[in-house]
Amino acid sequence: MADDAAGWSAAERAEIANHAANGSWTLIDRSQLPHGRSLVRLIWVYKRKRSGAMKARLCVQGCAQTHGIDYDQTFCATMRPTSLRAL
């Protein structure tokens, strides 16, 4: 169990480092939040890959967001034709 805790903690640190490197958020103090705005809630999603690797993803709770206020772009993953042929 202790090994699992260390693995999940390392996966979380890697995810936070990726977000910091990509500049996907700006860390602010609650006192800097504009009047009438609320913080977007985040949740951790954990997955153990078939290889045994531990993956942690930091996700925004989508039901707590309002289009045009909390976000203005969406992303839809698409499959490449070469990947489809391999399946």
Side-chain angles (χ1 to χ4, degrees):
M1 285 296 198
D3 292 336
D4 281 353
W8 292 122
S9 182
E12 287 178 353
R13 285 192 304 273
E15 178 71 1
I16 289 173
N18 287 339
H19 280 288
N22 292 333
S24 57
W25 69 49
T26 302
L27 188 62
I28 64 167
D29 189 62
R30 285 185 185 264
S31 64
Q32 297 173 321
L33 195 63
H35 181 70
R37 300 291 299 271
S38 61
L39 294 174
V40 178
R41 293 179 301 248
L42 301 173
I43 59 171
W44 282 104
V45 177
Y46 300 99
K47 183 173 185 176
R48 187 181 299 266
K49 300 290 188 168
R50 287 185 211 169
S51 65
M54 297 176 171
K55 176 76 175 176
R57 289 181 291 157
L58 190 58
C59 302
V60 174
Q61 288 184 330
C63 61
Q65 298 181 65
T66 305
H67 181 70
I69 296 174
D70 297 316
Y71 68 95
D72 59 357
Q73 297 176 355
T74 57
F75 172 77
C76 180
T78 58
M79 185 179 290
R80 293 182 299 193
T82 54
S83 299
L84 179 62
R85 283 193 292 266
L87 294 174

